[in-house]
Amino acid sequence: MVVPPYFDVPPKAYGGVEAVVADLVDALVARGHEVTLLGAGEPGTRAKFVPLWDRTVPERLGEPFPEVMHALRVRRAIQELAATGSIDLVHEHTFAGPLNAPVYQGLGLPTVLTVHGPVEDDSYEYYRELGDEVALVAISDRQQELAPDLNWVGRVHNALRTEEWPFRADKDDYALFLGRFNECKAPHLALEAAHAAGMPLVLAGKCSEPPELKYFDEQVRPLLTENDHVFGLADATAKRKLLAGAKCLLFPIRWEEPFGMVMIESMVCGTPVVALRGGAVPEVIVDGVTGRVCDDPGQLAAAIAEVQTMDPAACRAHVEANFGADPLGRGYEQVYYKLMRRRKRPDYRWRTSESVRLPLAASGLA
């Protein structure tokens, strides 16, 4: 299992991919599999952890060097593991890592890649060029529908360990926005809706990169009132407390969100979600039961009032039944077995003394 070098697994605060991988790893170990996790930071799962960096490098997120260097280090680590015969396949969660797939293929190892982000423009071209050397797993039906020609081998919804999330039926007097501060996540729409509904809004999330700060100054700050509270980046403990206490989560996305972890994090705490239709939203929310799916920002305010009559227990039950760690583990297990049945055994002829002597003879050195 390969993760990027930017955050711990599980993450201490920001890190959606790392949170999913932590739950997946532990679910697989619980199902009897031996898992080796390659990444950075501190061990935090039941897997055997191999750190490839001295520390996590969150400040270098978005730079090309860590991506490429991590892929090289991962390749070396996989080759060492393969030499011991203790590995059956490689599951990638990084961007550059799948470029190693031809090397792994030569070792008889299938490469699985979970596509955590959007499949559009440059990313679509990238996944298409990977061809059939990399088996792609979608995290929603909608993500797969938007690029049906890619080498998808399955769809597994993201999930979480429900027992680690608090449940509250009684709520405090605020709505919550939890996510990055940018145009796609649209916290400015959350503010407008909360104000129209007469509901105080707490805004928590990542706002540190220049585009995020610019967006905040131009579109969020002018809308803030004395009833709104900018919490900042919430760590794992604060996030759970905020979600459990909110009357609802506002999720006014303006893009094809591949999944949206915060929706299931909210519902497992007994908090319904008010969202705009897009991406996986209709797959995650049961409209009228665990939240409202709106088609226009003008519908959000009325939806805020409506969801307050919904049963918090039904929200949690929906997550337990459909987005728990055991369904996550079973889903990927099925993908792995499918690929194992297809895999080709490695061809070790390149290691023979005959194949070594050929280039020497051709060069006149033998």
Side-chain angles (χ1 to χ4, degrees), residues 86-233:
S86 61
I87 180 173
D88 295 308
L89 58 85
V90 179
H91 188 165
E92 271 282 357
H93 300 269
T94 73
F95 191 72
L99 298 176
N100 289 325
V103 175
Y104 305 152
Q105 195 172 49
L107 298 171
L109 305 175
T111 300
V112 182
L113 171 63
T114 298
V115 182
H116 291 282
V119 182
E120 58 187 13
D121 302 328
D122 290 347
S123 63
Y124 167 75
E125 294 294 331
Y126 175 71
Y127 295 127
R128 189 178 66 177
E129 288 298 323
L130 290 175
D132 60 3
E133 292 176 335
V134 178
L136 305 180
V137 178
I139 58 176
S140 67
D141 294 331
R142 179 59 176 166
Q143 183 188 45
Q144 194 168 348
E145 289 169 1
L146 291 171
D149 58 325
L150 297 183
N151 186 35
W152 302 109
V153 294
R155 187 273 291 155
V156 184
H157 279 141
N158 285 339
L160 46 74
R161 284 173 281 197
T162 57
E163 68 276 7
E164 296 185 358
W165 291 81
F167 172 78
R168 270 187 62 180
D170 60 308
K171 303 298 184 180
D172 297 326
D173 188 30
Y174 66 90
L176 176 66
F177 170 85
L178 182 61
R180 296 192 307 276
F181 283 77
N182 61 31
E183 196 79 41
C184 293
K185 298 287 187 177
H188 68 284
L189 294 181
L191 277 165
E192 292 173 352
H195 294 166
M199 178 73 65
L201 181 67
V202 174
L203 300 106
K206 182 175 175 293
C207 187
S208 56
E209 298 178 30
E212 296 166 342
L213 294 169
K214 183 176 185 291
Y215 167 80
F216 182 88
D217 287 336
E218 293 180 355
Q219 298 199 50
V220 175
R221 192 185 302 278
L223 297 177
L224 294 174
T225 70
E226 61 182 11
N227 292 324
D228 306 313
H229 174 62
V230 179
F231 184 90
L233 186 62

